[in-house]
Amino acid sequence: MEKEAQLPKKQNVPRLVLIAVILVALMIGGGTIGSLITTGKAKEWITSFNKKEVETILVPQAEFLVNLQSNDSSLDDFLKIEMSVETTGEENGTILTEKAAIVRDAIISVLRNKSTANIFDESEGVLVIKQEIILKINQSLGSEVASDLYITNIVMQ
């Protein structure tokens, strides 16, 4: 019995501190998760992990030299333009390359209907002609192959 009296009593303070730290960490974590769920950021965060990097491919097009519509039949207005079509995935890049004649025809059909007055029309800071060409390419190919268009050179006379 004397030995028991000589041994110091175990202190419960470290155990209480540990429990308090765990409870505080759980409260902070729960509050953070709760706020993420209520603001919708948790869904964005989860979907960002599921997104795959989409490979974009630029398919350059040969130079186009096209007569533009003219109000005066004596003037010969023309447009010389070079561009690249952006697509996603190698399969779509192959489609653009293999069906180059269809793509060229779609681009020429859009350009031929333009005049010097409306070739540089913009909507929301983007050339309208770009959206028209993308739409026409996708219609001609029957699927959403072209995602963007980059004009690399343009001369109009």
Side-chain angles (χ1 to χ4, degrees):
M1 292 232 160
E2 288 180 21
K3 288 185 179 183
E4 287 179 13
Q6 291 176 356
L7 293 174
K9 291 185 178 181
K10 293 183 180 179
Q11 296 181 352
N12 287 333
V13 176
R15 183 179 284 175
L16 289 177
V17 170
L18 179 65
I19 291 173
V21 168
I22 291 172
L23 285 175
V24 168
L26 287 174
M27 289 181 354
I28 291 173
T32 304
I33 291 171
S35 68
L36 287 174
I37 290 172
T38 58
T39 61
K41 291 187 179 185
K43 185 176 181 180
E44 292 174 21
W45 185 65
I46 291 170
T47 56
S48 69
F49 283 113
N50 294 334
K51 288 184 181 176
K52 294 179 181 177
E53 291 268 334
V54 178
E55 178 187 5
T56 59
I57 298 171
L58 287 176
V59 180
Q61 301 298 308
E63 179 181 278
F64 293 89
L65 184 60
V66 180
N67 291 328
L68 297 174
Q69 284 185 348
S70 178
N71 296 336
D72 184 6
S73 61
S74 65
L75 295 176
D76 292 323
D77 297 330
F78 71 90
L79 174 71
K80 177 181 164 185
I81 189 168
E82 294 176 24
M83 63 186 75
S84 293
V85 178
E86 182 182 61
T87 187
T88 55
E90 284 210 26
E91 181 179 316
N92 289 339
T94 305
I95 291 171
L96 283 174
T97 305
E98 289 176 353
K99 298 187 177 188
I102 296 171
V103 173
R104 270 189 81 76
D105 182 60
I107 294 170
I108 289 171
S109 68
V110 172
L111 295 176
R112 295 274 330 238
N113 292 321
K114 295 295 177 184
S115 68
T116 56
N118 63 6
I119 198 80
F120 290 110
D121 286 346
E122 288 191 10
S123 172
E124 299 176 7
V126 178
L127 288 176
V128 174
I129 195 169
K130 290 173 72 170
Q131 286 122 358
E132 290 176 12
I133 291 172
I134 292 168
L135 181 66
K136 187 68 172 178
I137 290 171
N138 288 336
Q139 284 176 349
S140 297
L141 296 176
S143 64
E144 297 290 320
V145 176
S147 59
D148 205 350
L149 182 84
Y150 299 100
I151 297 174
T152 55
N153 190 10
I154 187 167
V155 177
M156 185 171 54
Q157 182 176 355

